[in-house]
Amino acid sequence: MPFMEEQNNQQNHYSRRSISFERSKLPNFLISVKLKYVKLGYHYLISNAMYLVLIPLLGVASVHLSTFSIKDLIQIYENLKFNFVSMLICTSLVVFLATLYFMSRPRGIYLVDFACYKPQKDLQVTREIFVERSILTKAFTEETLSFQKKILERSGLGQKTYLPPAIMRVPPNPCMAEARKEAEEVMFGAIDEVLQKTGVKAKDIGILVVNCSLFNPTPSLSAMIVNHYKLRGNILSYNLGGMGCSAGLISIDLAKQLLQVHPNSYALVVSMENITLNWYFGNDRSMLVPNCLFRMGGAAVLLSNKPRDRLRSKYQLVHTVRTHKGADNKSYGCVFQEEDDTKQVGVSLSKDLMAVAGEALKTNITTLGPLVLPMSEQLLFFGTLVARKIFKMKIKPYIPDFKLAFEHFCIHAGGRAVLDELEKNLDLSDWHMEPSRMTLNRFGNTSSSSLWYELAYTEAKGRIKKGDRTWQIAFGSGFKCNSAVWKALKTINPAKEKNPWIDEIHEFPVHVPKVSKVIGS
């Protein structure tokens, strides 16, 4: 009986953790929409838009006053100077409305500039080198080596992605010293570049937010940056760990909240993942997929709430929307760090990952819709939704066209499967998906920093024009889905840009053929 119980537990373990290797499809999340998330989007719009009501009122009053002649103003003054109470009420009302407007208006959050780390050429790893070094480790069976080859062929990764020296060395040397060395190279490389591009001194940074999901040493990564750049003693520093690939936008949202209450400040956001100590040397297939997808990379973003920085900044942050599905057990466990049967630690991907991602995306997009969609799209969407949900009418649901809300899309390059399904669900073109696909091809899945490689690609192509809106969307363990909306404050001239794509942008886009079977990622 104890043996049978242990065998059943093992079967339950594999049914819970094993990943489906047939083509997984993202649910059509724009058809099965929940009304409560639409209401949540409108709640965000109303609760954060008091100043949008005050602006028209002040505008109408200003237009009306502009029609008054000097004679009219003198007449009003003559009528009011002997009516102290009326004058006091009018003056108090004007002061009250002006105070209410300036107090309720959120501070503008500007992205001054950002930088993506590009490793040295000698760290590039082709598919052939990856397989060769995997064989030399003698950690993998013939079956799992064959499995990894298939994953690499179908992953969407190209031949120029990067891995840290500790992993590619023969034999590999995954240790704390090497992991720190990788973290320093990535973080300092990105920060040095962004400080150089903006001309901001390290001492001027008042807020520091660092996110890295799997590597959290003591002292923290944020402390490592403070020590290296000798940042000031009263800096507000935060280190976010274990939050997955969507942590980059969580860091942006945290910096945004801090900048709302700390005037005249710079915030530095650093997003990265560490490969050295998180390489899996076992044979559980559900844990081998991350080895084939994740690669070395990181980004540094400088934000400001100083009004004078608006003139030199690239973008203004318009919205952030965060969705967390961790209360659901299936969502919580679909990306899980644990030990396999041989006590090797790895990150396991569940067969439910695509379904969970679809539900999180549906929630996030439904909440975001009322904030960004044109009124015509909202009326059509909301009307059909009410007809179907409340009046039970059998009509075809209306799928909003998000291309009317955004010019550019930066979708986390987590894997080929999700990109394929999102392209279909959002009815996006190859042009819209190009930054995500090319980032996956050139740099692999760099976790939370992938969105910035995608935005850098769009800039290098000369696509960013003044007034353009860009939608960044990422998802990660927990399970979370987060969005950020940026508005371009100026046209980006690629000839004046320094980013990881500039020297080779003429080589892209490359053709990435679609396959009938891909691995859920």
Side-chain angles (χ1 to χ4, degrees), residues 246-301:
S246 67
L249 294 186
I250 294 175
S251 298
I252 292 293
D253 183 68
L254 175 58
K256 166 191 164 185
Q257 303 297 336
L258 292 167
L259 287 170
Q260 289 297 336
V261 294
H262 294 280
N264 203 37
S265 298
Y266 284 116
L268 178 64
V269 175
V270 181
S271 297
M272 63 162 290
E273 192 51 80
N274 192 283
I275 304 294
T276 299
L277 280 182
N278 297 289
W279 200 255
Y280 176 62
F281 291 98
N283 289 283
D284 187 322
R285 290 191 174 192
S286 68
M287 295 182 177
L288 282 169
V289 176
N291 280 16
C292 301
L293 294 177
F294 283 89
R295 294 295 183 265
M296 188 178 180
V301 182

Side-chain angles (χ1 to χ4, degrees), residues 116 123 171 197 274 305 357 365 367 391 417-418 461 471 475 505:
C116 300
L123 297 179
K197 290 168 75 173
N274 192 283
N305 60 9
I365 289 174
T367 306
F391 297 104
V418 174
K461 280 290 183 180
W471 180 17
F475 36 87
I505 193 63

